[in-house]
Amino acid sequence: MSEEHVARVWRLEFAQPPGGRIAWLGPYTSQWLTPAAEELARYMEAEHRVTRPHPKDPAIFDSYRGDDRLACGCASREHLESWFGDYRPLLMDQGAHVAEYAVARDAIVEDSPEQVLFIKRRGRLVQRTGHEPPSQLIRSSAGSRTALLEAGDRKYAYVPGRSSADLRELTTPVSVGPLQ
């Protein structure tokens, strides 16, 4: 592939346990996270539902299953850092990695600086940086997070102006409750 037919896409990813069908998943869909990363993902998803664009057609993910599943990324590392904001360093502390992929342009399904959807198997990993999680992984609530976010107590409700210090306080092990 010539460089003109390739895009660079940056993702925030978490390693999944060996032997699973998918080795690396983003924070919204990770099936295994540390308890603190799970809490961060809940707060982040609640915030991003309000503040971040979603695919033009959310049902698009249903059209790309199995080997052709889609992955989301950003058009540059700067966009990735902006997208995740204060969550990025906190998630990195919990074992997230920043990955750069070279993706054939014809494998990109939706493209904007904020969000690039691409057929994951058609992306080639260029580099991935990060470190191991600081604690044991737990099964995440990725599949049921919507129900948790819409729960009556509104614990995860988006609060404009919440700082990274607030997030760090909210996700200390003392505040981590059982997965529901």
Side-chain angles (χ1 to χ4, degrees):
M1 264 186 297
S2 71
E3 282 301 310
E4 67 190 41
H5 299 295
V6 174
R8 298 291 183 189
V9 179
W10 297 83
R11 286 178 42 84
L12 192 63
E13 301 179 320
F14 284 89
Q16 301 301 285
R21 190 173 69 82
I22 301 171
W24 292 88
L25 288 169
Y28 302 107
T29 59
S30 254
Q31 297 171 5
W32 294 88
L33 296 167
T34 65
E38 170 63 22
E39 283 289 287
L40 283 164
R42 291 177 186 185
Y43 283 107
M44 182 180 68
E45 188 161 330
E47 178 179 331
H48 286 182
R49 286 175 179 218
V50 175
T51 65
R52 299 288 185 262
H54 285 70
K56 292 176 188 127
D57 176 13
I60 195 167
F61 292 100
D62 294 334
S63 301
Y64 292 86
R65 295 222 174 253
D67 290 341
D68 283 341
R69 75 177 183 80
L70 296 180
C72 295
C74 296
S76 70
R77 182 162 182 139
E78 292 76 23
H79 281 106
L80 179 96
E81 290 173 0
S82 174
W83 180 276
F84 288 104
D86 288 343
Y87 291 100
R88 188 190 54 78
L90 298 172
L91 290 168
M92 297 287 292
D93 288 347
Q94 295 302 314
H97 289 66
V98 173
E100 177 188 4
Y101 287 88
V103 180
R105 292 204 182 274
D106 65 352
I108 294 175
V109 176
E110 191 173 306
D111 191 6
S112 72
E114 294 84 20
Q115 192 170 71
V116 178
L117 274 64
F118 66 99
I119 299 170
K120 179 80 182 289
R121 73 175 170 83
R122 304 244 344 256
R124 180 182 53 82
L125 180 66
V126 174
Q127 65 177 332
R128 183 180 284 128
T129 58
H131 59 80
E132 295 294 315
S135 62
Q136 186 171 352
L137 302 179
I138 60 169
R139 183 84 166 132
S140 87
S141 65
S144 60
R145 208 169 277 147
T146 297
L148 289 168
L149 297 177
E150 294 172 355
D153 67 9
R154 307 287 293 151
K155 173 181 176 181
Y156 300 103
Y158 168 56
V159 177
R162 185 180 281 151
S163 72
S164 58
D166 296 333
L167 292 169
R168 193 172 297 280
E169 177 71 25
L170 290 167
T171 59
T172 57
V174 174
S175 69
V176 175
L179 293 179
Q180 299 174 354

